[in-house]
Amino acid sequence: MMYAPLHQSWPQFSRSIAALMAELGLDKLNLPIDHTALRVNTVQAADSLRSEFEQRGKIISNNIINGRPILIIELDTPLRLNDNPIDCVELPYPGNKAYPQEGWEHVELVFNCNAEDCESLSQQLINVVPSLAAVIAGKTDITVKMSSPKGDKERLANPTIAFKKHGLCVKVHPHGIKAVIASET
């Protein structure tokens, strides 16, 4: 997996993600897109992308999450999804799971709220986008996963709701990645 194919696949990925955000009703909230994430299946691919991204930005976090390194790279020139700049890329090193397709996998949106757990986050989201109640209840073809991923040094609770459909994923959480990184110190 090299940078050039990723760059070429970004327009299609961003259109597909924008369509999923619209289907969820999240597009109306104009939430900041915190970062986008990749999936790779080999350490060699991750190392290659790390090297290429370091030429286009700087690593602002190299943390162990769920037993594997995950890098956050702040880009010199943000990616764009519609009118939204995305200035960070998450590059997880592979774990025990092989992905059917390598490349862009998800975006993460910041829903500024005081939620400290997934139940509170889902209720606050439903309050502003009532149609999400059916999605979160599992009554649609969109898969929902709630989690509270945490790096070894993180001190900021950042519950996450992931909405998945057709190999795409939109995640929503209350704090941006830079705030989470800042909590590590």
Side-chain angles (χ1 to χ4, degrees):
M1 170 74 33
M2 301 291 277
Y3 182 82
L6 279 178
H7 183 71
Q8 293 166 359
S9 66
W10 179 259
Q12 177 58 46
F13 173 76
S14 63
R15 283 190 298 274
S16 298
I17 284 289
L20 179 55
M21 289 169 53
E23 182 177 348
L24 291 164
L26 295 171
D27 59 326
K28 296 174 182 70
L29 299 180
N30 293 319
L31 300 175
I33 301 173
D34 184 42
H35 65 279
T36 186
L38 297 163
R39 292 294 179 247
V40 295
N41 288 326
T42 67
V43 170
Q44 294 81 6
D47 284 342
S48 174
L49 284 171
R50 175 188 182 143
S51 175
E52 292 190 48
F53 275 114
E54 283 180 312
Q55 296 172 30
R56 292 165 175 81
K58 65 180 179 185
I59 295 172
I60 59 172
S61 177
N62 182 348
N63 206 344
I64 302 296
I65 300 175
N66 297 328
R68 63 188 175 140
I70 296 186
L71 307 178
I72 304 297
I73 301 116
E74 184 176 38
L75 301 171
D76 296 334
T77 303
L79 295 166
R80 300 207 65 83
L81 194 149
N82 295 334
D83 293 329
N84 302 297
I86 305 172
D87 65 351
C88 290
V89 172
E90 174 185 325
L91 174 59
Y93 273 68
N96 298 330
K97 180 179 179 181
Y99 296 95
Q101 182 176 337
E102 293 182 296
W104 302 113
E105 196 257 352
H106 72 261
V107 297
E108 300 197 21
L109 311 178
V110 179
F111 177 59
N112 192 4
C113 67
N114 61 2
E116 293 190 11
D117 57 41
C118 291
E119 184 178 327
S120 175
L121 177 59
S122 62
Q123 192 54 56
Q124 290 183 52
L125 262 177
I126 290 167
N127 288 345
V128 294
V129 183
S131 60
L132 283 175
V135 176
I136 291 171
K139 297 180 180 178
T140 70
D141 62 347
I142 297 170
T143 304
V144 177
K145 180 181 174 188
M146 297 190 191
S147 64
S148 294
K150 191 167 181 178
D152 291 349
K153 304 173 206 162
E154 290 172 18
R155 293 180 180 86
L156 188 62
N158 204 23
T160 302
I161 302 175
F163 299 96
K164 297 180 180 185
K165 183 175 180 178
H166 302 310
L168 296 172
C169 180
V170 173
K171 295 184 179 187
V172 179
H173 48 75
H175 303 289
I177 193 68
K178 290 180 183 177
V180 172
I181 292 168
S183 80
E184 296 173 354
T185 56

